[in-house]
Amino acid sequence: MPSRKSSGVPEQLGLSWAGPGLLAGVDEAGRGPLAGPVVAAAVILDDAAPILGLRDSKILSEKKREALFDEIRAKALCCCIAEASVEEIDRLNILQATMLAMRRAVEGLRLKPSFVQVDGNRLPVLKVPAEAIVKGDAKVQAISAASILAKVHRDRQCLAMHEAHPAYGFATHKGYPTAEHLAALREHGATPFHRRTFGPVRAVLELAS
């Protein structure tokens, strides 16, 4: 049975898995930024089509991530990228919105996995057995692949946000609360992309009200 921790977020028990079937790796990007959706990806790799160089997306160069993004999408048995919107983040909180994006990514897979491994220490509620793995993006290739898909997809969204609002510098800081971003937020106010419940954004909105 799923357990519930004091946070109220549903959890699944970690299960060992050594049997046959499809393994899906899951990771997210964008929990910490002040703007934009949170993105999750789920990937089922093909053992017959290995992909060299899979790593935690954060330690790869942008050029390498972009190349691997295309290779993963070409070679994986299936993959799915999903989101939880800014509105959902503000309504649910960022943790639960992240779990929602992860669940959508798994449920969006064309093939149903027998087991799911998720980066981190928390699990979304899923209809298949699952395990949370701390630093899984550095340990499990399917999770590494998912981290790359999620990171590249969100970075591309940040470029679109930059094009819509160039004064904020989204192309460089990717929505994180850098000094540049906070200064732009104070000077220009919040955009529709900003997460209203995050402290720096909420403070700016309160000053403007």
Side-chain angles (χ1 to χ4, degrees), residues 65-188:
R65 283 196 301 266
E66 288 281 350
L68 284 169
F69 180 93
D70 293 337
E71 188 174 0
I72 292 162
R73 289 179 62 86
K75 290 185 174 179
L77 287 177
C78 62
C79 56
C80 179
I81 301 172
E83 302 177 357
S85 68
V86 169
E87 292 76 18
E88 288 170 325
I89 292 169
D90 286 337
R91 187 175 77 247
L92 299 173
N93 76 42
I94 185 59
L95 174 60
Q96 294 194 50
T98 301
M99 297 298 105
L100 176 61
M102 287 181 169
R103 192 183 79 218
R104 286 171 172 165
V106 173
E107 292 177 350
L109 290 169
R110 178 177 56 84
L111 302 174
K112 183 177 180 180
S114 299
F115 195 70
V116 175
Q117 292 182 317
V118 179
D119 183 58
N121 60 4
R122 292 179 178 271
L123 289 168
V125 176
L126 301 170
K127 297 178 182 178
V128 295
E131 176 185 22
I133 302 179
V134 176
K135 300 189 184 301
D137 50 6
K139 301 174 182 176
V140 179
Q141 287 212 322
I143 297 178
S144 299
S147 77
I148 292 165
L149 293 191
K151 170 68 173 167
V152 171
H153 182 83
R154 211 196 109 83
D155 283 356
R156 290 175 178 178
Q157 290 182 321
C158 289
L159 290 177
M161 286 161 41
H162 180 80
E163 290 174 2
H165 297 278
Y168 291 82
F170 288 120
T172 54
H173 57 63
K174 304 298 191 292
Y176 284 92
T178 63
E180 174 195 6
H181 188 186
L182 294 176
L185 191 58
R186 288 190 295 268
E187 181 177 355
H188 303 292

